[in-house]
Amino acid sequence: MATAIIHAQQIVLLFKKRGIKNIIISPGSRNAPLTIGFATDSFFNCYSIVDERCAGHFAMGIAQQLQQPTVLLCTSGSALLNYYPAVAEAFYSEIPLIVLSADRPPHKIDIGDGQTIRQEHVFANHILFDTQLEMILSTAQREYLITNERKLNKAINTAISSPGPVHINVPFEEPLYQTVDQAAIEVKVMDVLKDETTQIPDQFVQDWNSSKRKLVILSTLNPPVFNKADLDKLTADGSVLVMSEVSSNVVHDKIVWGIDTLIAPIEFDDDQIAALQPDLVITIGGMIVSKKIKQYLRRFETKIHYHIGKRRAYDTFFKLAAHIKIAPRDWINSLDHQTVESDYQRHWLDHFNTYLAKRPAYFKQIGWSDMMVFELLFNNLPDHIVLQLGNSSTIRYAQLFKMNATHTVFSNRGTSGIDGCTSTAIGAAVGSGKPTVLITGDLSFFYDSNGLWNQYTPANFKIIVINNAGGGIFRILPGDKDESYFQTFFETTHDLDAQHLCHMHGLDYHRVEQESAFAEAYSKFIHNNSKPQLLEIKTPREVNDGILLDYFKYLK
């Protein structure tokens, strides 16, 4: 069985030929031709997610794990606008999404019909490619058939090769639900254009060979990017200091994995902080989490910056010289140039290890708090999981702890918003098929609570909610925290808990409010895989900021 509408047939047939299997559908009427086409073909994995904002992030989670285009399909009108947060995140995180939006015919826009908006180019600022298909009423309209085929292939090829989000707007006229035994057309595939590998410029070789202080920053990367031999070779050069972030998925003994732990104790020591200033900065990966390293490299006016890899290059430090689109491993293997005598790496690794040696004494003296909770979690998380981290304070705390090398770590660091963290994590669990743990804050969790409204959450999916009764990160930032407007409009204090949400959506609920209760509750939470589990950890709202800020002071 197939939809009777020819341009809908084109979409379904071409997606099938291109091996695009995962289709996330939000219920509606105008998108019925495509829903029928996908849902009646066993080739496709179709998921029904009612809330389009959650559906967008759910699709993004699947695409994040598979690194293959995932399709979003919605009806006309405001439904499409609810995809925008996920589209923007996918744009900046470079995740392949294909948005299919059903629409009225062009002559029925702006005439007063319900659920009609101007859908063409609605994502214009955050989309890699967008197009509107021609309505085809007969197979005799050969010119329209060719035009649509070209547009569809270009959209798919862009999502794959760039990668990122694309938008295909599809007008349909009623009747919408008619079917035929089989499609009346055939479609052709246009191959993806091969990305040319950029050669390493001679100027880069010259800059690299002449620099005694080279700083390499590894940020968001999809594993595996490097193996141990690659990292051994990179760090064998004493003039190279490598800093990694939690989302880089890179662990190595000669890498500074806690950027803020290294910088915070010396950021107001003019002599020390000047000694850290590099001659050359290399970035590899996506957006950088650490605000301290960005502020530092801007403050000291980075001399020259190169970005390596196919991930989009940003002029983060206002000194970007070139984007070298070569695979990071190939770049490392090309480093057979002369080495420069330097103690840059050894000096700062010694500093970093000195600070790490002080940590146990500090953790012994702190009370029940966010900091203690994160230490307990990172000491007890099981091996071989996909670890999804919420935004705001969650990923910033995670940056302070060494990652388990068996974990793969992900976070929505494109726009860095709190929206969609739960939906993305559930989509990722579905896409990967691996045990997945989400650590998130209370505001992020409640904001995306509709993410639990689906029938696909795996039984071994687990959520840890750190509930400090508000947006705790705002207590860390400057501002008068005793003013009533601060608590209402910045920190957003509340007394909510997740128990009733868990009951409504069929999750087992566990709760901890003090250290003595952690071990028992955590054991039940982590070992029960009969259904999704949620562990809510309540911490005191007014002490967390002081304990975190005192940690950096203590390291001095």
Short mmCIF file of all heavy atoms in Angstrom, two decimals, residues 383-440:
data_model
loop_
_atom_site.label_atom_id
_atom_site.label_comp_id
_atom_site.label_asym_id
_atom_site.label_seq_id
_atom_site.Cartn_x
_atom_site.Cartn_y
_atom_site.Cartn_z
N ASP A 383 30.51 0.83 34.42
CA ASP A 383 31.29 0.91 33.19
C ASP A 383 30.40 0.72 31.97
O ASP A 383 29.27 0.23 32.06
CB ASP A 383 32.38 -0.17 33.18
CG ASP A 383 33.46 0.07 34.21
OD1 ASP A 383 33.56 1.21 34.70
OD2 ASP A 383 34.20 -0.89 34.54
N HIS A 384 30.92 1.11 30.82
CA HIS A 384 30.32 0.82 29.51
C HIS A 384 28.88 1.33 29.39
O HIS A 384 27.97 0.61 29.02
CB HIS A 384 30.37 -0.68 29.23
CG HIS A 384 31.75 -1.26 29.29
ND1 HIS A 384 32.72 -0.96 28.35
CD2 HIS A 384 32.33 -2.08 30.22
CE1 HIS A 384 33.85 -1.60 28.67
NE2 HIS A 384 33.64 -2.28 29.79
N ILE A 385 28.71 2.61 29.71
CA ILE A 385 27.40 3.26 29.53
C ILE A 385 27.56 4.44 28.59
O ILE A 385 28.65 4.95 28.37
CB ILE A 385 26.81 3.75 30.87
CG1 ILE A 385 27.73 4.80 31.52
CG2 ILE A 385 26.50 2.60 31.81
CD1 ILE A 385 27.12 5.51 32.71
N VAL A 386 26.43 4.84 28.01
CA VAL A 386 26.36 6.14 27.35
C VAL A 386 25.91 7.13 28.42
O VAL A 386 24.86 6.97 29.02
CB VAL A 386 25.34 6.12 26.19
CG1 VAL A 386 25.19 7.52 25.59
CG2 VAL A 386 25.78 5.13 25.11
N LEU A 387 26.74 8.14 28.67
CA LEU A 387 26.46 9.13 29.70
C LEU A 387 26.01 10.42 29.04
O LEU A 387 26.77 11.06 28.31
CB LEU A 387 27.70 9.38 30.56
CG LEU A 387 27.57 10.39 31.70
CD1 LEU A 387 26.48 9.97 32.69
CD2 LEU A 387 28.90 10.58 32.42
N GLN A 388 24.75 10.79 29.27
CA GLN A 388 24.20 12.03 28.75
C GLN A 388 24.21 13.07 29.88
O GLN A 388 23.72 12.79 30.98
CB GLN A 388 22.77 11.81 28.25
CG GLN A 388 22.67 10.91 27.04
CD GLN A 388 22.93 11.63 25.73
OE1 GLN A 388 22.79 12.85 25.65
NE2 GLN A 388 23.28 10.89 24.70
N LEU A 389 24.74 14.24 29.61
CA LEU A 389 24.85 15.29 30.63
C LEU A 389 23.96 16.46 30.28
O LEU A 389 23.99 16.97 29.15
CB LEU A 389 26.30 15.77 30.75
CG LEU A 389 27.30 14.73 31.24
CD1 LEU A 389 28.72 15.28 31.15
CD2 LEU A 389 27.00 14.29 32.67
N GLY A 390 23.15 16.90 31.24
CA GLY A 390 22.34 18.09 31.07
C GLY A 390 23.22 19.33 31.03
O GLY A 390 24.42 19.29 31.36
N ASN A 391 22.63 20.43 30.64
CA ASN A 391 23.39 21.67 30.53
C ASN A 391 23.39 22.45 31.84
O ASN A 391 22.97 21.96 32.87
CB ASN A 391 22.83 22.52 29.38
CG ASN A 391 23.55 22.20 28.08
OD1 ASN A 391 24.76 22.13 28.04
ND2 ASN A 391 22.79 21.98 27.02
N SER A 392 23.89 23.67 31.74
CA SER A 392 24.01 24.56 32.89
C SER A 392 25.02 23.99 33.88
O SER A 392 26.11 23.62 33.48
CB SER A 392 22.63 24.80 33.52
OG SER A 392 22.63 25.98 34.27
N SER A 393 24.66 23.88 35.16
CA SER A 393 25.66 23.47 36.14
C SER A 393 26.07 22.01 36.02
O SER A 393 27.18 21.64 36.42
CB SER A 393 25.17 23.77 37.56
OG SER A 393 23.93 23.16 37.81
N THR A 394 25.21 21.15 35.46
CA THR A 394 25.53 19.73 35.40
C THR A 394 26.83 19.46 34.65
O THR A 394 27.75 18.82 35.17
CB THR A 394 24.38 18.93 34.73
OG1 THR A 394 23.20 19.08 35.52
CG2 THR A 394 24.73 17.46 34.64
N ILE A 395 26.93 19.94 33.43
CA ILE A 395 28.15 19.65 32.67
C ILE A 395 29.35 20.40 33.24
O ILE A 395 30.49 19.93 33.16
CB ILE A 395 27.96 19.97 31.17
CG1 ILE A 395 29.12 19.38 30.37
CG2 ILE A 395 27.79 21.48 30.93
CD1 ILE A 395 28.91 19.35 28.89
N ARG A 396 29.12 21.53 33.89
CA ARG A 396 30.24 22.28 34.47
C ARG A 396 30.80 21.55 35.69
O ARG A 396 32.02 21.53 35.91
CB ARG A 396 29.81 23.70 34.80
CG ARG A 396 29.42 24.45 33.53
CD ARG A 396 29.15 25.92 33.74
NE ARG A 396 28.65 26.50 32.51
CZ ARG A 396 29.39 26.84 31.46
NH1 ARG A 396 30.69 26.65 31.51
NH2 ARG A 396 28.85 27.36 30.38
N TYR A 397 29.94 20.95 36.50
CA TYR A 397 30.43 20.09 37.58
C TYR A 397 31.17 18.88 37.01
O TYR A 397 32.22 18.48 37.53
CB TYR A 397 29.28 19.62 38.47
CG TYR A 397 28.94 20.56 39.60
CD1 TYR A 397 27.75 21.27 39.61
CD2 TYR A 397 29.81 20.73 40.69
CE1 TYR A 397 27.43 22.13 40.65
CE2 TYR A 397 29.51 21.59 41.73
CZ TYR A 397 28.30 22.29 41.71
OH TYR A 397 28.00 23.14 42.75
N ALA A 398 30.60 18.27 35.97
CA ALA A 398 31.23 17.09 35.38
C ALA A 398 32.64 17.38 34.89
O ALA A 398 33.52 16.51 34.91
CB ALA A 398 30.37 16.57 34.23
N GLN A 399 32.89 18.63 34.47
CA GLN A 399 34.22 19.01 33.99
C GLN A 399 35.28 18.91 35.09
O GLN A 399 36.48 18.90 34.80
CB GLN A 399 34.19 20.46 33.48
CG GLN A 399 33.36 20.68 32.23
CD GLN A 399 34.15 20.53 30.97
OE1 GLN A 399 34.25 19.44 30.42
NE2 GLN A 399 34.75 21.62 30.51
N LEU A 400 34.84 18.85 36.34
CA LEU A 400 35.78 18.82 37.47
C LEU A 400 36.20 17.41 37.84
O LEU A 400 36.99 17.23 38.77
CB LEU A 400 35.15 19.50 38.69
CG LEU A 400 34.70 20.96 38.50
CD1 LEU A 400 34.03 21.47 39.76
CD2 LEU A 400 35.87 21.85 38.11
N PHE A 401 35.67 16.40 37.13
CA PHE A 401 35.95 15.02 37.50
C PHE A 401 36.48 14.25 36.29
O PHE A 401 36.03 14.43 35.17
CB PHE A 401 34.69 14.34 38.05
CG PHE A 401 34.19 14.97 39.32
CD1 PHE A 401 33.31 16.05 39.27
CD2 PHE A 401 34.63 14.52 40.54
CE1 PHE A 401 32.87 16.65 40.44
CE2 PHE A 401 34.21 15.11 41.72
CZ PHE A 401 33.32 16.18 41.67
N LYS A 402 37.44 13.35 36.57
CA LYS A 402 38.02 12.56 35.50
C LYS A 402 37.00 11.55 35.00
O LYS A 402 36.35 10.85 35.78
CB LYS A 402 39.27 11.82 35.99
CG LYS A 402 40.03 11.12 34.88
CD LYS A 402 41.33 10.51 35.40
CE LYS A 402 42.14 9.89 34.26
NZ LYS A 402 43.42 9.33 34.73
N MET A 403 36.89 11.46 33.69
CA MET A 403 35.90 10.57 33.11
C MET A 403 36.39 9.13 33.07
O MET A 403 37.58 8.84 32.96
CB MET A 403 35.55 11.02 31.69
CG MET A 403 34.72 12.28 31.62
SD MET A 403 33.08 12.10 32.37
CE MET A 403 33.35 12.84 33.98
N ASN A 404 35.43 8.23 33.17
CA ASN A 404 35.67 6.81 33.01
C ASN A 404 35.90 6.53 31.52
O ASN A 404 35.07 6.87 30.69
CB ASN A 404 34.44 6.05 33.53
CG ASN A 404 34.58 4.55 33.45
OD1 ASN A 404 35.19 4.01 32.55
ND2 ASN A 404 33.98 3.85 34.40
N ALA A 405 37.02 5.92 31.19
CA ALA A 405 37.38 5.71 29.79
C ALA A 405 36.42 4.78 29.05
O ALA A 405 36.39 4.77 27.82
CB ALA A 405 38.80 5.17 29.69
N THR A 406 35.60 4.01 29.80
CA THR A 406 34.64 3.12 29.14
C THR A 406 33.33 3.82 28.81
O THR A 406 32.47 3.24 28.15
CB THR A 406 34.32 1.89 30.02
OG1 THR A 406 33.52 2.29 31.14
CG2 THR A 406 35.59 1.22 30.50
N HIS A 407 33.16 5.06 29.27
CA HIS A 407 31.94 5.81 28.99
C HIS A 407 32.05 6.53 27.66
O HIS A 407 33.15 6.93 27.24
CB HIS A 407 31.68 6.86 30.08
CG HIS A 407 31.37 6.29 31.42
ND1 HIS A 407 31.27 7.06 32.55
CD2 HIS A 407 31.13 5.01 31.83
CE1 HIS A 407 30.98 6.30 33.59
NE2 HIS A 407 30.89 5.05 33.17
N THR A 408 30.93 6.73 27.00
CA THR A 408 30.86 7.72 25.92
C THR A 408 29.94 8.83 26.41
O THR A 408 28.84 8.57 26.91
CB THR A 408 30.33 7.11 24.62
OG1 THR A 408 29.11 6.40 24.86
CG2 THR A 408 31.34 6.16 24.03
N VAL A 409 30.41 10.06 26.29
CA VAL A 409 29.76 11.21 26.92
C VAL A 409 29.20 12.14 25.87
O VAL A 409 29.89 12.48 24.89
CB VAL A 409 30.75 11.96 27.83
CG1 VAL A 409 30.04 13.11 28.55
CG2 VAL A 409 31.39 11.02 28.84
N PHE A 410 27.95 12.57 26.08
CA PHE A 410 27.29 13.48 25.14
C PHE A 410 26.54 14.56 25.93
O PHE A 410 26.10 14.34 27.06
CB PHE A 410 26.30 12.74 24.25
CG PHE A 410 26.93 11.71 23.36
CD1 PHE A 410 27.10 10.40 23.80
CD2 PHE A 410 27.36 12.05 22.09
CE1 PHE A 410 27.69 9.45 22.99
CE2 PHE A 410 27.96 11.10 21.26
CZ PHE A 410 28.12 9.79 21.71
N SER A 411 26.40 15.71 25.29
CA SER A 411 25.63 16.80 25.88
C SER A 411 25.23 17.74 24.75
O SER A 411 25.94 17.85 23.75
CB SER A 411 26.45 17.56 26.92
OG SER A 411 25.68 18.56 27.55
N ASN A 412 24.09 18.40 24.89
CA ASN A 412 23.63 19.34 23.86
C ASN A 412 24.40 20.65 23.98
O ASN A 412 23.90 21.63 24.54
CB ASN A 412 22.13 19.60 24.02
CG ASN A 412 21.28 18.40 23.66
OD1 ASN A 412 21.78 17.43 23.11
ND2 ASN A 412 20.00 18.46 23.96
N ARG A 413 25.60 20.67 23.42
CA ARG A 413 26.45 21.84 23.57
C ARG A 413 26.47 22.74 22.34
O ARG A 413 27.33 23.59 22.19
CB ARG A 413 27.88 21.40 23.91
CG ARG A 413 28.03 20.79 25.27
CD ARG A 413 27.49 21.67 26.37
NE ARG A 413 28.18 22.94 26.48
CZ ARG A 413 27.85 23.91 27.34
NH1 ARG A 413 26.79 23.75 28.12
NH2 ARG A 413 28.53 25.03 27.37
N GLY A 414 25.49 22.57 21.45
CA GLY A 414 25.40 23.48 20.30
C GLY A 414 24.91 24.84 20.74
O GLY A 414 25.61 25.84 20.63
N THR A 415 23.69 24.88 21.26
CA THR A 415 23.15 26.13 21.81
C THR A 415 23.29 26.16 23.32
O THR A 415 23.09 27.21 23.94
CB THR A 415 21.67 26.30 21.44
OG1 THR A 415 20.91 25.22 22.00
CG2 THR A 415 21.49 26.32 19.94
N SER A 416 23.58 25.00 23.93
CA SER A 416 23.80 24.88 25.38
C SER A 416 22.56 25.23 26.19
O SER A 416 22.67 25.71 27.32
CB SER A 416 24.97 25.77 25.82
OG SER A 416 26.12 25.48 25.06
N GLY A 417 21.38 24.98 25.63
CA GLY A 417 20.15 25.26 26.35
C GLY A 417 19.73 24.10 27.24
O GLY A 417 20.16 22.97 27.06
N ILE A 418 18.84 24.39 28.22
CA ILE A 418 18.35 23.33 29.09
C ILE A 418 17.20 22.56 28.45
O ILE A 418 16.82 21.50 28.92
CB ILE A 418 17.91 23.87 30.47
CG1 ILE A 418 16.68 24.78 30.35
CG2 ILE A 418 19.06 24.56 31.18
CD1 ILE A 418 16.03 25.12 31.68
N ASP A 419 16.63 23.11 27.38
CA ASP A 419 15.48 22.44 26.75
C ASP A 419 15.93 21.20 26.00
O ASP A 419 16.94 21.19 25.32
CB ASP A 419 14.75 23.40 25.80
CG ASP A 419 15.69 24.13 24.86
OD1 ASP A 419 16.90 24.17 25.13
OD2 ASP A 419 15.22 24.69 23.86
N GLY A 420 15.18 20.13 26.16
CA GLY A 420 15.39 18.94 25.35
C GLY A 420 16.42 17.95 25.85
O GLY A 420 16.71 16.97 25.18
N CYS A 421 16.98 18.18 27.05
CA CYS A 421 18.03 17.27 27.53
C CYS A 421 17.49 15.85 27.74
O CYS A 421 18.13 14.87 27.36
CB CYS A 421 18.63 17.79 28.84
SG CYS A 421 19.54 19.35 28.65
N THR A 422 16.31 15.74 28.35
CA THR A 422 15.72 14.43 28.60
C THR A 422 15.32 13.76 27.29
O THR A 422 15.59 12.57 27.07
CB THR A 422 14.50 14.55 29.54
OG1 THR A 422 14.92 15.16 30.77
CG2 THR A 422 13.90 13.19 29.83
N SER A 423 14.67 14.50 26.40
CA SER A 423 14.23 13.94 25.13
C SER A 423 15.42 13.45 24.31
O SER A 423 15.37 12.38 23.69
CB SER A 423 13.45 14.99 24.33
OG SER A 423 12.28 15.39 25.01
N THR A 424 16.49 14.24 24.27
CA THR A 424 17.69 13.83 23.54
C THR A 424 18.26 12.54 24.11
O THR A 424 18.64 11.63 23.37
CB THR A 424 18.76 14.94 23.59
OG1 THR A 424 18.23 16.14 23.03
CG2 THR A 424 20.00 14.53 22.81
N ALA A 425 18.33 12.46 25.43
CA ALA A 425 18.91 11.28 26.08
C ALA A 425 18.09 10.04 25.78
O ALA A 425 18.64 8.95 25.54
CB ALA A 425 19.02 11.51 27.58
N ILE A 426 16.76 10.15 25.80
CA ILE A 426 15.91 8.99 25.50
C ILE A 426 16.08 8.59 24.03
O ILE A 426 16.20 7.40 23.71
CB ILE A 426 14.44 9.29 25.83
CG1 ILE A 426 14.27 9.48 27.34
CG2 ILE A 426 13.54 8.15 25.35
CD1 ILE A 426 12.89 9.94 27.77
N GLY A 427 16.11 9.57 23.13
CA GLY A 427 16.37 9.27 21.73
C GLY A 427 17.71 8.59 21.55
O GLY A 427 17.85 7.64 20.76
N ALA A 428 18.73 9.06 22.28
CA ALA A 428 20.06 8.46 22.18
C ALA A 428 20.04 7.01 22.67
O ALA A 428 20.70 6.14 22.09
CB ALA A 428 21.06 9.28 22.99
N ALA A 429 19.29 6.75 23.75
CA ALA A 429 19.19 5.39 24.27
C ALA A 429 18.53 4.47 23.25
O ALA A 429 18.94 3.33 23.05
CB ALA A 429 18.41 5.39 25.58
N VAL A 430 17.50 4.99 22.58
CA VAL A 430 16.82 4.21 21.53
C VAL A 430 17.77 3.97 20.36
O VAL A 430 17.87 2.86 19.82
CB VAL A 430 15.55 4.94 21.06
CG1 VAL A 430 14.96 4.27 19.82
CG2 VAL A 430 14.51 4.97 22.17
N GLY A 431 18.50 5.02 19.96
CA GLY A 431 19.38 4.92 18.80
C GLY A 431 20.57 4.01 19.03
O GLY A 431 20.96 3.25 18.14
N SER A 432 21.16 4.07 20.23
CA SER A 432 22.38 3.30 20.49
C SER A 432 22.08 1.87 20.93
O SER A 432 22.88 0.97 20.68
CB SER A 432 23.21 3.98 21.58
OG SER A 432 22.57 3.87 22.86
N GLY A 433 20.94 1.67 21.59
CA GLY A 433 20.64 0.35 22.15
C GLY A 433 21.52 0.00 23.33
O GLY A 433 21.52 -1.15 23.80
N LYS A 434 22.25 0.98 23.88
CA LYS A 434 23.17 0.73 24.99
C LYS A 434 22.59 1.28 26.29
O LYS A 434 21.77 2.19 26.27
CB LYS A 434 24.52 1.41 24.71
CG LYS A 434 25.23 0.89 23.48
CD LYS A 434 26.51 1.69 23.22
CE LYS A 434 27.21 1.21 21.96
NZ LYS A 434 28.41 2.03 21.64
N PRO A 435 23.03 0.73 27.44
CA PRO A 435 22.60 1.30 28.73
C PRO A 435 22.96 2.79 28.78
O PRO A 435 24.11 3.16 28.51
CB PRO A 435 23.39 0.50 29.76
CG PRO A 435 23.76 -0.77 29.07
CD PRO A 435 23.94 -0.41 27.62
N THR A 436 21.99 3.62 29.10
CA THR A 436 22.18 5.07 29.05
C THR A 436 21.77 5.69 30.38
O THR A 436 20.71 5.36 30.92
CB THR A 436 21.35 5.69 27.91
OG1 THR A 436 21.78 5.11 26.67
CG2 THR A 436 21.53 7.20 27.85
N VAL A 437 22.60 6.58 30.89
CA VAL A 437 22.32 7.32 32.12
C VAL A 437 22.33 8.81 31.79
O VAL A 437 23.29 9.32 31.20
CB VAL A 437 23.35 7.02 33.22
CG1 VAL A 437 23.07 7.86 34.46
CG2 VAL A 437 23.35 5.53 33.58
N LEU A 438 21.27 9.50 32.18
CA LEU A 438 21.19 10.95 32.05
C LEU A 438 21.37 11.58 33.42
O LEU A 438 20.66 11.21 34.37
CB LEU A 438 19.83 11.37 31.48
CG LEU A 438 19.46 12.86 31.59
CD1 LEU A 438 20.38 13.72 30.74
CD2 LEU A 438 18.00 13.09 31.22
N ILE A 439 22.32 12.50 33.55
CA ILE A 439 22.45 13.32 34.75
C ILE A 439 21.99 14.72 34.38
O ILE A 439 22.53 15.31 33.44
CB ILE A 439 23.89 13.35 35.30
CG1 ILE A 439 24.40 11.93 35.57
CG2 ILE A 439 23.96 14.18 36.57
CD1 ILE A 439 25.85 11.89 36.04
N THR A 440 21.03 15.24 35.11
CA THR A 440 20.45 16.54 34.74
C THR A 440 20.06 17.31 35.99
O THR A 440 19.94 16.75 37.08
CB THR A 440 19.22 16.31 33.83
OG1 THR A 440 18.75 17.56 33.35
CG2 THR A 440 18.10 15.59 34.56
#
